[in-house]
């Protein structure tokens, strides 16, 4: 991670800020939940705390890094204008670095509060635990630290996907505001549509938020369908938007 940050100092500030925002928010919420909420198993503290942060995760990571790609694209254009074939590999390299950084800091920002929550002593203890009824319930209870690593890696991977399409959107549209908000707005719109269709289990929000729905409607594959739908939808969005931009440029010039 240090090597990635050294290669482009533009990424240092957003990486540090994002990590601190997510880590601080989760830690504070874990402490508050342990004090004010009835808890049967300590991992519930972390699960409840992550639900609010998960809602804003696409916005946080894209607002942090999409402007960086916008700046690099503008800054490097004159340098690579005469050698345009070199511009694409350069931008691809920067996006890959951002994706790796996103995956690492999201994983750490989520996993450290999990370890903290497992060490807390809840004020209100409950007897009826429902954790074991969920898809990964057995692993949450029996191997919380191992499960936490795997789940946080998964969350980091999904965050990298958000950043990837946000960065591609800003390169195609040249609109940093729309590109930064795009993945977040898509998640909200898709969540609304799937809820109206009575299929919330196929939403990317459900794939991102652990134990969001009741155990009887959730299966392992539900955690991948939403992400796959997001990728396919954004490929089509960017493809048709790019075609529209090229058609508009031809008509203007």
């Amino acid at each position: 991670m240090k090597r990635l940050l050294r290669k482009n100092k533009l990424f240092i500030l957003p990486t540090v800020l994002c990590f601190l925002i997510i880590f601080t928010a989760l830690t504070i919420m874990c402490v508050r939940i342990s004090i004010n909420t009835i808890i049967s198993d300590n991992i519930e503290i972390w699960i409840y705390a992550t639900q609010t942060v998960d809602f804003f995760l696409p916005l946080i990571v894209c607002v942090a890094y999409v402007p960086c790609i916008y700046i690099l694209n503008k800054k490097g254009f004159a340098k690579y204008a005469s050698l345009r074939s070199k511009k694409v590999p350069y931008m691809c390299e920067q996006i890959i670095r951002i994706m790796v950084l996103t995956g690492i800091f999201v994983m750490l920002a989520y996993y450290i509060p999990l370890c903290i929550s497992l060490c807390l002593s809840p004020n209100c203890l409950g007897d009826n635990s429902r954790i074991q009824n969920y898809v990964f319930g057995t692993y949450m209870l029996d191997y919380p630290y191992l499960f936490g690593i795997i789940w946080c890696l998964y969350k980091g991977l999904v965050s990298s996907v958000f950043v990837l399409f946000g960065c591609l959107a800003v390169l195609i549209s040249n609109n940093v505001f729309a590109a930064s908000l795009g993945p977040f707005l898509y998640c909200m719109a898709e969540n609304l549509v799937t809820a109206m269709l009575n299929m919330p289990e196929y939403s990317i929000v459900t794939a991102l938020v652990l134990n969001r729905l009741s155990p009887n409607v959730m299966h392992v594959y539900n955690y991948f369908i939403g992400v796959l739908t997001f990728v396919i939808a954004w490929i089509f969005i960017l493809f048709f938007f790019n075609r529209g931009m090229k058609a508009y440029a031809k008509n203007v010039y």
Side-chain angles (χ1 to χ4, degrees), residues 144-204:
Y145 291 100
L146 177 60
F147 170 79
I149 290 176
I150 296 171
W151 182 256
C152 292
L153 281 170
Y154 166 79
K155 204 176 288 284
L157 178 62
V158 176
S159 301
S160 298
V161 173
F162 292 145
V163 167
L164 168 64
F165 286 101
C167 292
L168 293 177
V170 79
L171 291 176
I172 293 173
S173 67
N174 208 28
N175 187 325
V176 67
F177 181 76
S180 298
L181 294 180
F184 174 71
L185 294 177
Y186 170 89
C187 291
M188 297 304 99
E190 187 239 37
N191 185 49
L192 177 62
V193 170
T194 53
M196 292 174 63
L197 295 174
N198 292 321
M199 296 190 302
E201 64 271 24
Y202 298 111
S203 169
I204 190 170

Side-chain angles (χ1 to χ4, degrees), residues 13 22 34 55 73 76 86-87 116 127 137 156 198 226 229 236:
L13 182 60
I22 295 174
S34 70
F55 180 84
N73 188 40
K86 291 186 178 180
K87 185 180 179 182
I116 293 172
D127 297 326
N198 292 321
T229 304
F236 277 100

